[in-house]
Amino acid sequence: MRVTNNMIMKNSAYNINGNKVAVDTANTQMTTQKKISKPSDDPVLAVRSLRLSASLSKINQYYEKNIPDAHSWLNVTETALQNMRKAITDMRTQCVNGANDTLTQEDRNTILAQLTTLQDQIYAEGNADYAGRTVFTGYRTNQNLVFTEDEADRFYTIDQRLTYADIETYRYYDKFVEVPSTQAEVLNNTINDVEQTEFNRVRLGYNKIDQLNQLSYTIGNNTVTYDVADATGTPPSVSATGGAGNLYIIENQTDWSDAMGGKTVGPDDMIFLKETGELVLGDTIASQLKSGRAVIDTQYDKEGFAKGELKPEYYFDCVDKTKDITADKSNQANWVQHEKFDDDGRELGYDIEYTISANQTLTVNLEASDVFNQDIQRDMKEMITAVTNAIAAHDKVDKIKSMKNETQFSTPDYQTKLDEWLKAAQKEADYVDYNLKKLYSTELGKVDDYLSEISLGITKLGCTEDQLNLTEDRMNNQQETVESLQSTNDDMDLSEIIISYTAAYTAYQSSLTAAGKLGQMTLLNYI
Amino acid sequence: MGSSFFGLTIAASGLNAAHASINTTANNVSNVNTTGYSKQQVNLVASSAIRSYQKFGSTGTGVTAESVTQMRDLYYDEKYWNNQSSLGLYTKKLYYMEQIQNYFSDGTLSSSTTASTGFSSVYAKMFNALDSLKSGAADLSKRAEFVGKAQELCTYFNSTSTRLSELQTSINDEIKSTVDQVNSISKRIAILNKQINIIEMEGGHANELRDQRAMLVDDLSEIVPVTAEEREVTNSNFPDMKTGATYYTVKINGQMLVDNYEYNSLDCKIREERYNQSDVDGLYDVVWKDSNATFDATASVMSGSLKAMFEVRDGNNNDNLTGRVTSTSSNTMTITNPSITDVNKMNMPEEGVIMVNSTQYKYSSFECTTDKDGNISSYTFVLDKPLTTDERGKISGKQLMVGDSVDYMGIPYYMNQMNEFLRSFTKAFNEIQQQGVDLYDNETGSFFVGKHEVLGTEQQFLESLVEKDEDGNVVGGVKFDNLSDTYYRLTASNVLVAKDIQHDPKKFATTTSIEGGVIDAYDLVDATLKLEKDTELFRGGGGDTFLQCIYADVTVDTQECEIFKDNYKNISNAITNQRMSISGVDEDEEALDLMKFQNAYNLSSKCISVMSEMYDRLILETGV
């Protein structure tokens, strides 16, 4: 074949270009350290890379966002529970102290001061939040567990179910001594003789109840209802439909004493005390309920909540009617329904689940009702009342004792009378001391239960944390695995690129050298 | 005895011939780098001998430079042209496919400039943000992040769609300039034909003009497949007598482009209607200027860069709607058994053209009827002109096609794929949203909406495709038209996250109910998370496989183009070498020629001086 100079030139230009393409490819690989620069270079590799990136992106989401997030959430929860446990342990210490035989007035004052502080502290922990989201409130993370200030307008209708296990004995006192201050009072005033009565009672979740709407108890399949709305008389009372005895609805303890001539209740009767939110049971009915393993259903209205009280929606089925401004609260459109139990009485859970790995979720939250017993607060209040009463009684004794040393009462008349007063006051002090001791030792048992509930919560958290740690390790491994897979898929081995780059560059140089020699000489040089 | 001065004439002819040859060599050397130049050579023949009435009979009379001709082999020209059109096809296609591939490419592979802008990255980010919502469904910053990522997904589709539209526009412009180029080439070839004949009928050889003409055909062959033919024109009375003139024709795609001195032009005609839903306006069709007949650039026998442009611009993978005409009225046509039954796959423009019986009809709107599964069972097209009874008879029962079916995965194909994916995805997403309530406890509408092309309002796509009774049971299909609020109206170019959700991230649902203040409930988030890969959304896979499917399409085509381009380039090089082997100028050869003809010239002049001495002797010294 005839070959012309231009052919040689053209062919070498073509070849040089071929080598240049190779150099460019190797150079791109070297600078990016990636095997391919566009999908069509190797579609299989490109698609695999896409898949791996997607997996990696997911793993990073789990490992770098969800898992640390879950950790923080659990930590906040655990801290709150630890604080709570400490508070309740302190409460227990006070129970032990109060149950002691010998208490000085100073001891009582200390107990009172301690309990008052603890009362504030205990539920403040319930409002613990993680990044502005309260942790014990289920899906209502923008709301607190307890009222943070007194809310006089809050109106709830609450459904509460109590059981025979909630029935406990409680002591009631009437006719406390009123210490006289003047000579005339010492001589003329009646000296009250304190009376103690002991009854069974059940306690509602709240005190200061506005109205009892419904009350019924069920033993086996037999339900006994009190048609509360039909109650008549002073105090209003209604007889049981399908059972014996009456239900009396009474404002407070003073009214009770006035209406019944002392704090008593007939054996088949019940007394509902609005102010303290108690249902006092007659002896017969109490033993019926206990032996029949009864369930007591109540529905009541409560308007106005105090700072530190638990919000009802976390414990009970209830309706928030605060926004309903009609006088009789009848505008249903403005009601907010809160459901805590389903139709079968099972508790509804609001689990906050974090996805911590593919197809694995972790429930991170504990709900208030799982760990805090609603009774803690009411127990605390009763303990405070008991110790306050004891302090007052002893104050009375001390006061009368000091009166005896005053000159104005130095005559025998007064002294004799004052001795009577002192005797009465001493009796009262003995009663309330007894009550204090009795109540505090009962509370000791309860507080242990509360503590174990909280400890159980902490243990659960620990288990969750363990599970989270395990998954975190696994995710860490997976992240490394996928990263290395992707690197194997996408990245060039550096030594490999250098070799291929050197090879391509050498080929390019030699083609340049060859082309440089071309065309230097033609026949014309020799003519 | 012959003439005493005869020898002088012979020597003079030698001088002449050598001179002509040296001139030609000089011409060759000067044109050594001229594109398209073919080496010329002087054809020397010995002059006719004459009788000299001598014992030796006749004597030679020297040399004649008969002609100057070029070295050219028409066989290789033809091979070159054939190959060049295939090369043109794949080179141009590759150029565009690489752009399309680039638009879809996800940055995890290569350079950091495009990193994390591709579909897979954006999609994964959106679902990660959604996953974060599980641990804080009411958290405003988490909500805002998710809405932002969702809008990013929309923006990705908007911008990819815009880029594809821009590419379509620029290809369209290039079609116009290419057609102009074809016209200019055909005109110049016709002119050259005339000039060549003028020279050659006088007995010469129009070498330079022929080179020019061949070059024009070379250029043309890259654009369209070319066949050129040259016939010698003979005297019609004496068929053996050649006139020296030739008749030159050029055909493209089998149709006459240049007919000796006459030439045909192509013309670009703007389409009045779109052929595919997402086409840009003002696309050109190429027609013959004289007959107004369509020049079918995508026919299977076609190749060249023009075909590449049409395929990439119009290629819909034959996915356009077809069906059989089952009934007609004075201004409607109804088809059943349509090729597209899924609303998400609908790709016909709102008003466009339909082809039946090789005749185009324009429709101004259409209506669809669905069956109880929500699939389209028939389409009715409302035509802009009434049909005659005759026409109605003819088209009944015939196969109908909307727009044009082009067997290539070009821009319309990728647009349709994006639309189909988006419709499936947003529909599934919105249906979950529509079950829920937002943080204000209001029922939520569509999360992803479409911006109306003209009105600028947001479309919610709430039209149901099946009819339900009061209890929610399906009782049958429905009718809807092109204006109905269906997902047909959602495209990659108009999708967005509803504006009021973008402004206020509280306004989308994570749960079916926040009754009682349970704002952190996330049942709908769980349901939506399943869409990422577990729900079948697109081509039998989950949403995350969208890009993988597109990759599969685009890379297969790109790779094919690359391979074929390289193949044809190699062949082209081989043929070019062979052509150059024959027609090319070689410097060494010319140098040899130079020496050769110089020697010849020197010798001839030596002959003359010898003759001169001989006459000197004869005239001055002999017999004086």
Side-chain angles (χ1 to χ4, degrees):
Chain A
M1 182 164 131
R2 176 174 175 262
V3 176
T4 69
N5 300 66
N6 275 347
M7 275 165 75
I8 298 175
M9 288 290 186
K10 193 166 182 300
N11 285 341
S12 45
Y14 182 73
N15 291 335
I16 289 173
N17 190 55
N19 286 330
K20 263 183 173 166
V21 171
V23 171
D24 181 48
T25 311
N27 187 43
T28 313
Q29 285 183 339
M30 198 144 143
T31 43
T32 60
Q33 304 209 358
K34 302 277 181 199
K35 281 182 191 155
I36 60 175
S37 57
K38 52 185 190 303
S40 62
D41 289 347
D42 188 341
V44 176
L45 199 142
V47 167
R48 199 188 301 135
S49 171
L50 279 185
R51 291 214 184 101
L52 289 170
S53 309
S55 318
L56 190 60
S57 164
K58 269 273 125 19
I59 291 172
N60 285 345
Q61 169 75 14
Y62 301 142
Y63 183 63
E64 286 164 11
K65 280 194 175 162
N66 293 3
I67 292 181
D69 217 22
H71 268 305
S72 313
W73 180 287
L74 291 176
N75 286 343
V76 169
T77 315
E78 196 176 338
T79 311
L81 285 183
Q82 300 277 17
N83 290 345
M84 176 85 67
R85 179 157 71 177
K86 190 164 175 302
I88 294 181
T89 312
D90 287 351
M91 179 176 162
R92 187 178 185 281
T93 315
Q94 299 314 319
C95 289
V96 174
N97 290 344
N100 254 339
D101 268 330
T102 49
L103 285 178
T104 63
Q105 188 73 332
E106 204 175 311
D107 291 340
R108 290 186 205 99
N109 280 323
T110 315
I111 293 176
L112 178 63
Q114 290 273 353
L115 285 179
T116 317
T117 324
L118 283 177
Q119 191 190 12
D120 288 344
Q121 209 181 71
I122 222 154
Y123 285 105
E125 291 299 335
N127 287 344
D129 69 301
Y130 167 55
R133 306 168 63 222
T134 49
V135 294
F136 292 114
T137 51
Y139 293 160
R140 303 181 182 94
T141 53
N142 60 341
Q143 289 161 35
N144 285 321
L145 179 66
V146 301
F147 291 101
T148 50
E149 53 196 25
D150 290 343
E151 293 194 36
D153 295 334
R154 286 302 275 261
F155 189 102
Y156 278 91
T157 300
I158 301 168
D159 286 308
Q160 184 173 4
R161 166 169 285 194
L162 299 150
T163 68
Y164 69 96
D166 297 316
I167 300 174
E168 57 183 356
T169 55
Y170 195 70
R171 287 158 301 282
Y172 298 93
Y173 296 92
D174 201 4
K175 298 181 182 161
F176 279 136
V177 174
E178 284 161 35
V179 180
S181 50
T182 61
Q183 291 175 329
E185 280 176 5
V186 171
L187 290 180
N188 303 331
N189 279 12
T190 330
I191 303 172
N192 283 342
D193 184 19
V194 68
E195 287 172 9
Q196 173 184 295
T197 49
E198 189 165 335
F199 292 106
N200 286 295
R201 63 119 192 229
V202 285
R203 198 173 53 185
L204 297 182
Y206 294 93
N207 59 6
K208 294 183 181 141
I209 307 296
D210 281 291
Q211 194 184 337
L212 181 69
N213 300 330
Q214 280 168 29
L215 181 69
S216 66
Y217 62 86
T218 309
I219 298 174
N221 291 325
N222 183 30
T223 302
V224 176
T225 318
Y226 295 91
D227 296 318
V228 181
D230 298 340
T232 50
T234 321
S237 67
V238 60
S239 60
T241 315
N246 291 328
L247 169 69
Y248 296 91
I249 297 163
I250 295 176
E251 283 303 323
N252 54 38
Q253 301 224 1
T254 320
D255 288 1
W256 178 19
S257 175
D258 293 350
M260 303 282 170
K263 291 187 178 171
T264 58
V265 55
D268 289 324
D269 294 341
M270 291 186 188
I271 290 176
F272 182 78
L273 292 169
K274 284 184 180 177
E275 193 190 15
T276 52
E278 280 174 289
L279 189 65
V280 183
L281 306 169
D283 293 339
T284 316
I285 195 161
S287 60
Q288 271 176 16
L289 291 178
K290 276 191 199 169
S291 59
R293 300 175 161 255
V295 172
I296 306 163
D297 286 305
T298 61
Q299 189 196 70
Y300 52 91
D301 290 344
K302 176 170 167 60
E303 185 169 17
F305 286 83
K307 177 183 174 187
E309 275 189 309
L310 290 162
K311 292 190 177 172
E313 57 260 40
Y314 299 112
Y315 290 86
F316 308 114
D317 281 348
C318 57
V319 184
D320 182 354
K321 299 181 182 171
T322 313
K323 287 183 183 154
D324 182 358
I325 50 165
T326 54
D328 58 349
K329 300 284 180 188
S330 58
N331 183 6
Q332 294 211 5
N334 286 335
W335 293 2
V336 180
Q337 299 275 356
H338 295 286
E339 301 222 329
K340 178 69 186 169
F341 300 96
D342 66 10
D343 294 340
D344 300 328
R346 275 192 295 267
E347 196 174 330
L348 293 170
Y350 294 125
D351 289 348
I352 295 182
E353 290 183 341
Y354 280 43
T355 316
I356 51 171
S357 90
N359 302 324
Q360 190 192 347
T361 55
L362 184 76
T363 307
V364 294
N365 68 322
L366 286 176
E367 288 187 60
S369 53
D370 296 337
V371 284
F372 310 143
N373 198 308
Q374 148 122 69
D375 289 334
I376 300 177
Q377 202 177 27
R378 299 219 57 194
D379 284 341
M380 196 92 97
K381 280 210 176 106
E382 285 183 353
M383 282 166 71
I384 290 173
T385 316
V387 75
T388 316
N389 285 345
I391 291 169
H394 284 281
D395 276 346
K396 287 177 193 168
V397 173
D398 291 347
K399 183 145 187 230
I400 295 169
K401 275 184 182 163
S402 69
M403 277 165 75
K404 277 183 77 175
N405 296 333
E406 285 174 30
T407 46
Q408 57 166 329
F409 302 120
S410 57
T411 60
D413 285 358
Y414 289 116
Q415 286 290 324
T416 319
K417 201 72 187 169
L418 277 174
D419 279 341
E420 281 177 41
W421 279 105
L422 183 61
K423 202 176 152 202
Q426 193 60 53
K427 186 183 175 191
E428 182 186 327
D430 289 346
Y431 267 136
V432 292
D433 274 352
Y434 168 75
N435 181 45
L436 182 71
K437 209 167 101 185
K438 200 80 178 154
L439 180 72
Y440 277 37
S441 39
T442 319
E443 285 302 327
L444 202 55
K446 286 194 191 173
V447 168
D448 282 339
D449 286 347
Y450 302 151
L451 267 182
S452 68
E453 259 179 76
I454 289 181
S455 297
L456 184 66
I458 293 177
T459 315
K460 270 195 208 158
L461 274 186
C463 293
T464 313
E465 186 103 38
D466 280 350
Q467 200 187 343
L468 187 62
N469 284 334
L470 271 180
T471 311
E472 188 174 16
D473 281 350
R474 200 154 53 78
M475 281 295 111
N476 190 6
N477 283 338
Q478 263 190 33
Q479 191 190 36
E480 278 169 22
T481 313
V482 175
E483 270 174 0
S484 79
L485 274 178
Q486 184 163 36
S487 174
T488 323
N489 186 63
D490 296 359
D491 297 348
M492 280 296 278
D493 177 29
L494 198 57
S495 56
E496 208 177 301
I497 320 174
I498 291 176
I499 291 169
S500 66
Y501 181 77
T502 315
Y505 195 73
T506 313
Y508 174 54
Q509 266 188 329
S510 61
S511 66
L512 283 183
T513 315
K517 301 265 185 231
L518 273 180
Q520 280 180 356
M521 288 293 174
T522 67
L523 186 59
L524 288 171
N525 294 71
Y526 300 98
I527 302 175
Chain B
M1 160 105 194
S3 163
S4 305
F5 299 103
F6 184 42
L8 209 55
T9 321
I10 293 173
S13 82
L15 266 185
N16 246 340
H19 200 238
S21 294
I22 288 205
N23 282 348
T24 305
T25 304
N27 189 36
N28 282 342
V29 171
S30 349
N31 281 305
V32 68
N33 288 323
T34 308
T35 322
Y37 179 80
S38 307
K39 175 181 157 73
Q40 294 178 5
Q41 66 178 16
V42 182
N43 298 315
L44 297 178
V45 285
S47 307
S48 315
I50 55 168
R51 239 186 119 70
S52 60
Y53 305 105
Q54 295 289 329
K55 246 193 176 157
F56 51 78
S58 53
T59 50
T61 55
V63 66
T64 313
E66 196 193 43
S67 61
V68 179
T69 53
Q70 54 182 175
M71 314 279 287
R72 193 166 194 110
D73 190 335
L74 279 176
Y75 169 72
Y76 286 120
D77 282 350
E78 252 172 57
K79 287 197 81 165
Y80 181 83
W81 296 333
N82 284 340
N83 183 67
Q84 206 61 12
S85 59
S86 298
L87 179 62
L89 172 72
Y90 287 107
T91 310
K92 188 56 88 183
K93 236 192 229 179
L94 179 62
Y95 171 73
Y96 288 125
M97 289 314 290
E98 282 190 329
Q99 290 193 40
I100 294 178
Q101 171 179 291
N102 202 10
Y103 295 160
F104 281 108
S105 160
D106 198 346
T108 48
L109 283 179
S110 55
S111 52
S112 55
T113 47
T114 54
S116 64
T117 50
F119 169 81
S120 287
S121 314
V122 177
Y123 189 73
K125 273 192 198 166
M126 183 183 109
F127 275 97
N128 282 347
L130 185 64
D131 189 72
S132 295
L133 270 183
K134 272 183 80 170
S135 50
D139 186 329
L140 273 192
S141 62
K142 283 182 175 168
R143 280 177 161 254
E145 187 188 355
F146 168 67
V147 172
K149 297 293 180 208
Q151 179 53 34
E152 214 173 283
L153 184 74
C154 295
T155 315
Y156 167 79
F157 278 103
N158 298 156
S159 69
T160 308
S161 151
T162 310
R163 283 163 147 191
L164 286 177
S165 292
E166 280 168 4
L167 186 63
Q168 201 175 29
T169 310
S170 75
I171 295 175
N172 196 41
D173 292 343
E174 196 169 344
I175 286 177
K176 174 90 170 92
S177 62
T178 306
V179 165
D180 290 345
Q181 202 185 341
V182 171
N183 288 341
S184 131
I185 289 174
S186 59
K187 185 178 174 187
R188 277 154 67 194
I189 291 177
I191 293 170
L192 281 172
N193 284 346
K194 194 164 194 174
Q195 290 173 342
I196 289 169
N197 273 351
I198 289 170
I199 293 172
E200 294 193 345
M201 277 167 79
E202 289 170 358
H205 286 274
N207 292 329
E208 284 74 13
L209 297 181
R210 278 175 175 275
D211 279 343
Q212 278 181 32
R213 186 172 69 184
M215 246 172 61
L216 287 174
V217 180
D218 282 358
D219 289 347
L220 188 63
S221 68
E222 231 174 279
I223 303 170
V224 280
V226 173
T227 45
E229 197 190 358
E230 184 170 16
R231 278 184 293 114
E232 287 179 329
V233 178
T234 52
N235 188 322
S236 51
N237 295 327
F238 307 98
D240 289 340
M241 185 180 152
K242 290 174 182 167
T243 58
T246 51
Y247 196 87
Y248 193 81
T249 53
V250 177
K251 287 180 178 171
I252 57 172
N253 197 20
Q255 287 156 303
M256 191 68 78
L257 179 71
V258 181
D259 189 8
N260 211 16
Y261 305 157
E262 304 295 324
Y263 64 93
N264 264 338
S265 295
L266 293 172
D267 200 7
C268 286
K269 203 174 76 179
I270 290 179
R271 277 183 197 166
E272 287 172 30
E273 307 293 346
R274 297 176 185 183
Y275 280 11
N276 299 290
Q277 192 185 4
S278 295
D279 277 351
V280 296
D281 285 326
L283 292 184
Y284 293 118
D285 277 325
V286 177
V287 294
W288 290 102
K289 205 169 213 164
D290 55 351
S291 63
N292 222 11
T294 309
F295 177 80
D296 187 1
T298 55
S300 56
V301 291
M302 266 289 288
S303 62
S305 58
L306 192 64
K307 181 179 187 180
M309 288 185 257
F310 269 94
E311 281 192 335
V312 178
R313 192 193 75 174
D314 291 345
N316 54 14
N317 199 30
N318 294 340
D319 287 342
N320 55 335
L321 177 69
T322 57
R324 192 166 293 279
V325 180
T326 47
S327 67
T328 56
S329 78
S330 61
N331 67 339
T332 63
M333 266 186 228
T334 302
I335 59 165
T336 52
N337 284 333
S339 60
I340 298 172
T341 55
D342 184 352
V343 175
N344 294 346
K345 291 186 179 171
M346 281 167 68
N347 55 21
M348 66 293 287
E350 283 183 51
E351 42 189 276
V353 293
I354 39 189
M355 290 283 289
V356 203
N357 261 355
S358 325
T359 315
Q360 272 197 357
Y361 298 93
K362 278 181 195 160
Y363 66 89
S364 51
S365 65
F366 62 83
E367 189 181 67
C368 309
T369 311
T370 61
D371 60 17
K372 61 179 171 33
D373 298 325
N375 292 326
I376 300 167
S377 52
S378 76
Y379 291 83
T380 303
F381 293 96
V382 179
L383 304 175
D384 68 339
K385 283 193 197 109
L387 294 167
T388 62
T389 325
D390 191 29
E391 272 177 322
R392 286 175 62 183
K394 274 188 193 159
I395 60 179
S396 186
K398 292 281 162 42
Q399 198 68 19
L400 172 148
M401 172 174 91
V402 175
D404 192 11
S405 75
V406 177
D407 186 12
Y408 187 75
M409 296 182 195
I411 292 169
Y413 172 77
Y414 290 107
M415 289 282 206
N416 291 343
Q417 293 288 305
M418 291 201 292
N419 292 347
E420 187 189 332
F421 168 76
L422 271 175
R423 288 168 188 169
S424 311
F425 175 72
T426 55
K427 186 174 179 201
F429 195 105
N430 288 344
E431 276 172 1
I432 295 175
Q433 273 296 307
Q434 281 150 11
Q435 300 165 10
V437 291
D438 62 16
L439 279 186
Y440 299 109
D441 208 6
N442 296 323
E443 284 186 9
T444 42
S446 292
F447 184 86
F448 290 105
V449 298
K451 194 171 188 141
H452 194 284
E453 210 175 323
V454 185
L455 305 174
T457 51
E458 288 180 0
Q459 303 167 94
Q460 299 245 0
F461 317 119
L462 296 174
E463 184 107 355
S464 171
L465 297 180
V466 286
E467 194 184 343
K468 292 179 181 166
D469 63 11
E470 289 152 2
D471 303 330
N473 298 322
V474 176
V475 292
V478 292
K479 280 179 189 286
F480 69 89
D481 62 23
N482 55 317
L483 295 172
S484 300
D485 196 19
T486 62
Y487 280 90
Y488 162 70
R489 300 189 60 84
L490 178 83
T491 63
S493 61
N494 71 11
V495 65
L496 78 161
V497 174
K499 274 277 181 243
D500 54 344
I501 295 178
Q502 286 193 51
H503 292 148
D504 183 358
K506 283 183 179 169
K507 285 191 173 167
F508 72 90
T510 56
T511 175
T512 46
S513 163
I514 59 164
E515 176 86 51
V518 289
I519 51 167
D520 257 351
Y522 53 83
D523 43 324
L524 292 186
V525 175
D526 269 341
T528 313
L529 278 171
K530 292 209 176 74
L531 295 183
E532 182 174 12
K533 49 179 105 168
D534 300 337
T535 312
E536 187 177 318
L537 283 180
F538 181 72
R539 283 160 72 169
D544 59 331
T545 58
F546 167 71
L547 189 59
Q548 294 170 17
C549 295
I550 297 289
Y551 263 20
D553 294 340
V554 77
T555 53
V556 164
D557 281 348
T558 313
Q559 275 194 325
E560 185 191 284
C561 292
E562 266 170 26
I563 292 166
F564 278 106
K565 190 206 91 176
D566 285 349
N567 283 352
Y568 284 112
K569 185 74 193 166
N570 282 337
I571 299 174
S572 168
N573 278 340
I575 299 173
T576 311
N577 271 344
Q578 278 162 338
R579 284 216 315 191
M580 282 173 76
S581 172
I582 291 165
S583 310
V585 178
D586 183 58
E587 291 167 27
D588 299 334
E589 220 174 64
E590 300 305 322
L592 275 173
D593 278 356
L594 216 59
M595 283 185 349
K596 200 166 81 184
F597 294 127
Q598 191 186 13
N599 280 344
Y601 188 87
N602 287 348
L603 278 174
S604 293
S605 63
K606 189 70 191 172
C607 285
I608 290 172
S609 70
V610 168
M611 292 280 175
S612 166
E613 278 174 32
M614 281 165 63
Y615 294 136
D616 211 28
R617 174 64 48 99
L618 180 67
I619 296 164
L620 296 179
E621 290 177 25
T622 309
V624 175

